[in-house]
Amino acid sequence: MKTIKGPAVFLAQFMDDKEPFNSLDGLCKWASDLGYKGIQIPTWEIRLIDLKKAAESKTYCDELKGKVESYGLEITELSSHLQGQLVAVHPAYDIMFDNFAPDEYKNNPEKRTNWAIDQLKYAAKASRHLGLDVHGTFSGSFLWHTAHPWPQRPDGLVEMGFAELAKRWLPILNEFDEQGVDVCYEIHPGEDLHDGVTFERFLDATHNHKRVNILYDPSHFVLQQLDYIEYIDHYHDYIKMFHVKDAEFNPTGKKGMFGGYGDWKDRAGRYRHPGDGQVDFKTIFSKLTEYGCDVWAVLEWECCIKSPDQGAREGAPFIQKHIIEATQKRFDDFSGSEIDKNKLKRILGLKTN
C-alpha cells in the first residue's frame, strides 16, 4: 500500500487577471498559504509556463521547478486538457472548440489538429525535463454525438472512430514513451473515453499501449450514474492521477441525466465542492490507498454554488483529512510469532520431523 500525496490544487479554474491569480509567483504563494503541497499546471496558460520552451530547455524547467519549490510546493503534473481535446474534434464542434486554439489556427481544423499534436509532444518533453512521470489530458472525440444511438449507428462506425482516434494518438503516445511519461486520460462526458467500456476500446485500438492510463475523477461518474467505487476495482492498475471533485445527481419528474439544456445549477447532475455532493470520498481514498495507487490528491474546483475562494480555503483541509497513512504493519502483529515449520505442522495435525 502507498500513502496518497497531497493536498494539491489544479490551477486552471483559479486563473484571473487580478493578483494573485495572474502569475505563477502569486498563485504559488496563495496555494502555499492555504496549506497545499503541490500544484497541477495547465500548459495552455502562458502566464504559468511556456510549453515549447519547457520542451526545449532543461535549464528553463529547472528554474521553473526551483521557483515553485521556493514556496514549499511541488509540481504534481502538467495538464494539456484543452490541447488534448483538439487532437480529435468532430466537425459539429469545430466552431465552439476553436476557442481553445490560438487565433492563427482557427477556422482550419487540419492546422488546429497538427498544432494540438505538437503541443502534446512538447508536453511529453517538458514533463521529463521537470522530472514528472505522469501527464493529464483529454482524448478528444469523434463519436460523442452518437452516444445516444438515434439515428441508428451504422455497423462499424464505433470501430472506425476508435481506430482513427488511436491513429491520432499513437505518435503522441510513442513520444511520451520515449520520455518515460504516462498519459492519463481524464474519463469524462463529451470525450470518446468517458467510462470503462470506452477506455477498454481505446486500449484495444492502441494495442494496449503501455502509456495509456487514467486520470480518475469520480464526479464524472456520478453524472453518468456509473459505480465509481467499483471502477477503481476494475482499473486501479491504470489510475495514475486523481482529481478530488464532487457531484450530485438529483433527478425529478422533469429532468434527468441529459439536463434539459439547463445551466449547471439547474441540472439534475451538477458538480459540487468536495464534501458538498454525493461522492463517498472516504471509500475512494481507502480503495486507492489499499491498491497502492501512487497519486497526488488534486483539488479541482468546479462548483455551481460555492465560490472559488471558499472552495480553495476548504479544499486543502478536506483532502488532508481524507489522506490515509498506509500502515506498514498489521494490527495483530503483537500476537504473532516466528515461523516454526514443525509448529505449523502440529497446528494442521501433520507429522513433524
Side-chain angles (χ1 to χ4, degrees), residues 295-345:
V295 294
W296 277 87
V298 180
L299 172 73
E300 183 180 24
W301 175 82
E302 288 184 355
C303 184
C304 59
I305 298 177
K306 183 169 286 182
S307 75
D309 290 339
Q310 184 180 1
R313 290 195 308 271
E314 295 178 355
F318 180 89
I319 291 173
Q320 190 63 60
K321 174 185 174 183
H322 282 81
I323 290 176
I324 299 168
E325 294 181 12
T327 182
Q328 301 304 313
K329 61 183 295 185
R330 295 183 301 185
F331 63 86
D332 57 356
D333 280 348
F334 74 94
S335 61
S337 59
E338 296 295 325
I339 294 176
D340 181 330
K341 290 187 177 180
N342 283 329
K343 182 178 180 181
L344 298 180
K345 288 180 179 180

Side-chain angles (χ1 to χ4, degrees), residues 192-250:
D192 278 346
L193 277 63
H194 57 266
D195 58 13
V197 174
T198 51
F199 176 73
E200 291 182 18
R201 284 183 181 273
F202 187 67
L203 262 182
D204 184 62
T206 58
H207 311 293
N208 291 299
H209 199 291
K210 67 180 182 180
R211 295 302 173 184
V212 174
N213 287 281
I214 290 172
L215 191 170
Y216 174 77
D217 182 335
S219 67
H220 305 306
F221 300 147
V222 171
L223 269 58
Q224 297 181 66
Q225 293 296 278
L226 184 155
D227 189 331
Y228 55 85
I229 299 296
E230 187 179 318
Y231 195 93
I232 299 173
D233 292 327
H234 288 300
Y235 302 110
H236 54 88
D237 286 338
Y238 296 97
I239 295 174
K240 306 289 180 68
M241 290 178 63
F242 173 31
H243 273 175
V244 181
K245 189 173 74 177
D246 212 337
E248 61 188 0
F249 185 69
N250 299 306

